[in-house]
Amino acid sequence: MNRASDVGEPVLGAAAPAETRLLRREVVLPLFALVLLAFVPIVGSAFYTEVVTRVMILAIFALSLDLLVGYTGLVSFGHAAFFGIGAYAYALLSPKNEAASLWLTLPAAIGAAAIAAALVGVFVLRTRGIYFIMVTLAFAQMFYFVFHDTDFGRGSDGITVNFKPDLKLGDITLIDLGNSNQFFYFVLAMLVAAFLFLRTVLASPLGRALHGIKVNEHRMLSLGYHVFGYKLASFTIAGTLAGFAGYLSAVQSGFANPEILSWHQSGNVLLMIILGGTGTLYGAIGGAFVFALLEQVFEALTVHWQLLLGLTIILLVLFLPGGLSEFVARVIRKPVREHADDE
Amino acid sequence: MDIGTFLIQLLNSVQYGLLLFLIASGLTLIFGIMGIINLAHGSFYMVGAYMAFSLSSLTGNLFVAIVLGIVLSVLLGLFLEWALFTKLYQRDHLQQVLLTYGLILVFEELRSILVGNDVHSVAIPAVLNYSVKLSETLSYPVYRLFISAVCVVLAVALYYVIQKTRLGMIIRAGSANREMVQSLGFNINLLYRLVFALGVGLAAFAGMIAAPVSSVYPGMGTQVLIICFVVVVIGGIGSVWGALVAALLIGLTDTFGKVMFPQWAGAGIYILMAAILLWRPEGLFRRI
């Protein structure tokens, strides 16, 4: 490679391979992965179709957290709260003896998660650093107890939904969500949509400002940016998207119980994005898949699979802090993307 | 609520608050001095409680079990600091969260492998197993008073060590400027190791003396951890005095909340935290 391109002078000869590499990384590989995924219901059994559907829902959840952790520099340990609120909103709004309408329940679930995230954001964003981690965890625990202890959450058993929601236009059923193949493609489309949505957000002035806040909050403040407002926007978007993932999760499983907003869930989703490497949207998706794979393998090995998971986490932090994307970068000797410190 | 029940609930909440203080003070010291967020701190509480259970059934005496347990937990603290936490000082909070999250999983599974998933109870030692009369009809168990007294003694001792001794002065200086203390010739790494072991010891000790009243069950560590986070947030990071005040506040809110609004008691302490965050985002007290 010509060194001149690093200094910033455009050199025609050096630009071309960089561009093809970019094209390969940004377009060809993701499309390849997408096509591979699309074949799962055709090739795999119904069991694997459902497993992969679940993982894709978790990937949407992980994407939403990556906006906070990877792009805004806010380490939230309570992200499962919004996932759970999305799920509970769906379960609470679904009638007992007939199917709910997706047109009604989905906006309601997303709205509930958005309102909750904005409200919680106002409180938690008053803190920073270690405080922020503890306070987000505490707020998530508060929601856990609200659903666990009060009557409307129906206690530790949670709420069961007997029918999948309808996705109808007039009288025509657009997608039968009860059919696991159709639901698979629906979730796949939603994953792509969530990915493209976050890409758009990150490329927008909002995304640039968030990046600036992550790198140097004080400088952004002195430049006149309303840092709190930007952080709140990021927190709300992330919470809303998490609520959407929670909605999909409850549609798939047919229930909402307090466990889905427990701190374990928050810890696992954090693990996913770190496994994949924070601050790379692909990493969040890859991390969700690797996490699910680890879970399956460890569960097959022993009932005490959490011990293996815990040891894996410790080794990961000690020896591979940048996650798998750093590992891949190291192996194929591509320059590792810069690591910005969070404060 | 009549005056007798009120008094009993008040004593209960003070005892609970003081116990929380023991755990949270270790947590806040580790935050304040070493800058480490330690999610596994609750696991040390759990380890303490399970040690009280296993060692007291082994030796037949809770007090012997407690002495043995303190030694073991301090050794555990020294080992963990040496093996894992020294590597975390220069890392960002995210990595600290993740590693200590991994530790929680390891501790919980080891507990499940070694002792199983049953709920156990630990007998109150015979010397303390009686009650004092508060009125004609009401009495209060002496063991709970004993817990409160021990916690008060430890709180005073902690205050004395940190504020009045040379060691405490070096520790406080180390939290303000690590490099300066090191260049003055003090072994800051050894100091950190001691502080960490002290925190582990305090948490495990709290678990051991609480075991006879709270019983010993899976998940007890994380439950207490999150409440201790609330204590630290309310009290202010690194402030031992703040941890004491916040722990008593939480004790009162939780105990009286459970009596008066059973359904909303779980959320009550978090609402208290939210209110204090609005008023004073840095916590009630800052610094040691």
Side-chain angles (χ1 to χ4, degrees):
Chain A
M1 238 184 99
N2 197 328
R3 294 291 302 165
S5 64
D6 292 339
V7 191
E9 285 172 41
V11 176
L12 279 172
E19 237 166 57
T20 42
R21 210 176 62 193
L22 194 74
L23 189 77
R24 205 189 307 151
R25 215 180 343 176
E26 296 285 301
V27 181
V28 179
L29 277 178
L31 280 180
F32 181 65
L34 193 63
V35 171
L36 267 187
L37 265 181
F39 270 105
V40 167
I42 301 166
V43 183
S45 63
F47 172 74
Y48 278 105
T49 305
E50 278 175 25
V51 169
V52 176
T53 309
R54 191 175 69 86
V55 179
M56 289 192 299
I57 293 171
L58 287 179
I60 297 177
F61 185 30
L63 276 176
S64 74
L65 184 64
D66 202 20
L67 175 68
L68 272 186
V69 178
Y71 292 96
T72 320
L74 294 168
V75 181
S76 167
F77 203 79
H79 208 51
F82 309 115
F83 185 83
I85 287 170
Y88 264 98
Y90 163 68
L92 285 167
L93 285 171
S94 294
K96 224 169 170 42
N97 300 316
E98 53 176 338
S101 162
L102 185 118
W103 300 125
L104 174 78
T105 51
L106 182 58
I110 288 179
I115 292 169
L119 273 178
V120 170
V122 168
F123 286 94
V124 297
L125 290 170
R126 295 172 67 85
T127 65
R128 61 190 70 239
I130 288 180
Y131 261 112
F132 184 80
I133 300 172
M134 294 191 290
V135 173
T136 44
L137 174 58
F139 268 100
Q141 200 66 8
M142 180 179 89
F143 284 110
Y144 174 85
F145 279 118
V146 166
F147 288 117
H148 189 274
D149 293 354
T150 57
D151 288 332
F152 80 86
R154 319 246 174 95
S156 55
D157 292 340
I159 307 167
T160 319
V161 183
N162 300 321
F163 296 90
K164 304 275 178 196
D166 284 333
L167 182 53
K168 282 182 181 170
L169 201 64
D171 279 339
I172 313 153
T173 301
L174 295 177
I175 301 168
D176 176 13
L177 298 176
N179 177 318
S180 59
N181 281 358
Q182 291 190 29
F183 186 64
F184 177 93
Y185 288 112
F186 177 69
V187 172
L188 181 60
M190 291 302 124
L191 175 61
V192 173
F195 178 80
L196 294 176
F197 166 71
L198 285 178
R199 283 267 303 240
T200 316
V201 168
L202 289 169
S204 73
L206 169 67
R208 308 313 299 164
L210 292 180
H211 185 70
I213 291 170
K214 188 191 173 196
V215 174
N216 192 332
E217 188 176 330
H218 291 290
R219 187 171 296 170
M220 291 300 281
L221 263 178
S222 357
L223 285 173
Y225 281 89
H226 194 323
V227 167
F228 185 84
Y230 280 106
K231 281 185 177 176
L232 188 59
S234 171
F235 197 83
T236 310
I237 294 172
T240 311
L241 199 54
F244 176 56
Y247 177 90
L248 292 175
S249 162
V251 169
Q252 191 190 15
S253 64
F255 64 82
N257 66 12
E259 282 317 302
I260 58 172
L261 47 112
S262 74
W263 67 277
H264 267 287
Q265 185 89 337
S266 297
N268 286 343
V269 69
L270 207 50
L271 176 58
M272 285 173 212
I273 63 171
I274 294 170
L275 264 177
T278 56
T280 56
L281 292 179
Y282 298 117
I285 300 174
F289 276 90
V290 173
F291 177 81
L293 190 70
L294 281 180
E295 211 177 44
Q296 297 281 335
V297 171
F298 290 161
E299 262 179 89
L301 285 176
T302 161
V303 278
H304 298 293
W305 62 276
Q306 298 243 13
L307 180 65
L308 296 178
L309 183 64
L311 291 172
T312 309
I313 297 173
I314 293 173
L315 292 176
L316 176 80
V317 174
L318 289 181
F319 300 112
L320 199 63
L324 291 176
S325 52
E326 186 188 290
F327 180 69
V328 172
R330 216 187 278 170
V331 167
I332 55 180
R333 290 182 176 282
K334 271 179 196 165
V336 182
R337 52 166 222 97
E338 54 176 318
H339 277 282
D341 287 331
D342 58 343
E343 268 177 0
Chain B
M1 197 186 300
D2 62 84
I3 188 79
T5 0
F6 175 78
L7 195 61
I8 286 183
Q9 295 301 346
L10 192 67
L11 284 170
N12 276 343
S13 47
V14 169
Q15 179 255 311
Y16 179 51
L18 286 169
L19 198 68
L20 279 180
F21 164 74
L22 272 200
I23 312 159
S25 59
L27 195 64
T28 203
L29 276 176
I30 293 174
F31 283 145
I33 293 171
M34 300 151 75
I36 292 254
I37 174 163
N38 179 16
L39 295 186
H41 204 72
S43 302
F44 304 142
Y45 173 79
M46 177 202 71
V47 168
Y50 273 88
M51 279 201 296
F53 165 71
S54 324
L55 294 174
S56 69
S57 50
L58 213 66
T59 60
N61 186 324
L62 183 66
F63 294 115
V64 178
I66 286 180
V67 173
L68 278 177
I70 289 175
V71 174
L72 288 176
S73 59
V74 168
L75 287 177
L76 174 73
L78 292 173
F79 169 74
L80 286 176
E81 205 274 349
W82 171 76
L84 301 175
F85 285 82
T86 36
K87 275 113 188 148
L88 284 181
Y89 296 137
Q90 310 304 328
R91 304 283 193 88
D92 60 25
H93 300 327
L94 185 57
Q95 313 247 327
Q96 301 173 353
V97 163
L98 206 64
L99 187 134
T100 51
Y101 176 63
L103 266 184
I104 296 182
L105 298 182
V106 170
F107 276 119
E108 281 290 334
E109 278 310 314
L110 285 179
R111 189 259 315 139
S112 155
I113 293 170
L114 295 173
V115 197
N117 291 326
D118 299 331
V119 176
H120 296 288
S121 61
V122 175
I124 296 175
V127 209
L128 295 168
N129 197 5
Y130 60 97
S131 302
V132 282
K133 268 198 173 332
L134 293 178
S135 69
E136 289 294 307
T137 48
L138 295 166
S139 59
Y140 196 75
V142 163
Y143 188 76
R144 281 178 181 267
L145 294 176
F146 167 75
I147 294 181
S148 301
V150 170
C151 291
V152 168
V153 169
L154 275 173
V156 171
L158 205 58
Y159 173 82
Y160 180 79
V161 169
I162 289 177
Q163 294 293 339
K164 305 287 177 192
T165 65
R166 193 174 166 77
L167 177 68
M169 198 155 64
I170 303 169
I171 290 177
R172 278 181 291 143
S175 79
N177 191 336
R178 187 190 149 103
E179 280 77 21
M180 185 62 81
V181 173
Q182 199 159 18
S183 48
L184 285 173
F186 296 103
N187 187 345
I188 195 87
N189 294 326
L190 180 70
L191 214 61
Y192 276 19
R193 197 157 293 165
L194 289 178
V195 170
F196 190 81
L198 173 73
V200 176
L202 281 174
F205 179 73
M208 286 186 271
I209 56 167
V213 289
S214 79
S215 78
V216 178
Y217 54 95
M220 65 188 297
T222 47
Q223 196 188 358
V224 97
L225 170 82
I226 297 170
I227 297 175
C228 283
F229 276 177
V230 177
V231 168
V232 173
V233 168
I234 292 180
I237 279 187
S239 165
V240 174
W241 176 240
L244 179 61
V245 175
L248 289 173
L249 259 178
I250 296 284
L252 285 170
T253 313
D254 191 64
T255 311
F256 283 95
K258 273 186 183 134
V259 178
M260 291 190 276
F261 316 97
Q263 280 206 354
W264 290 90
I269 57 169
Y270 303 103
I271 295 166
L272 175 72
M273 180 191 71
I276 288 186
L277 273 180
L278 272 188
W279 175 44
R280 289 190 111 158
E282 301 274 339
L284 294 178
F285 300 87
R286 290 196 64 193
R287 258 350 192 175
I288 298 171

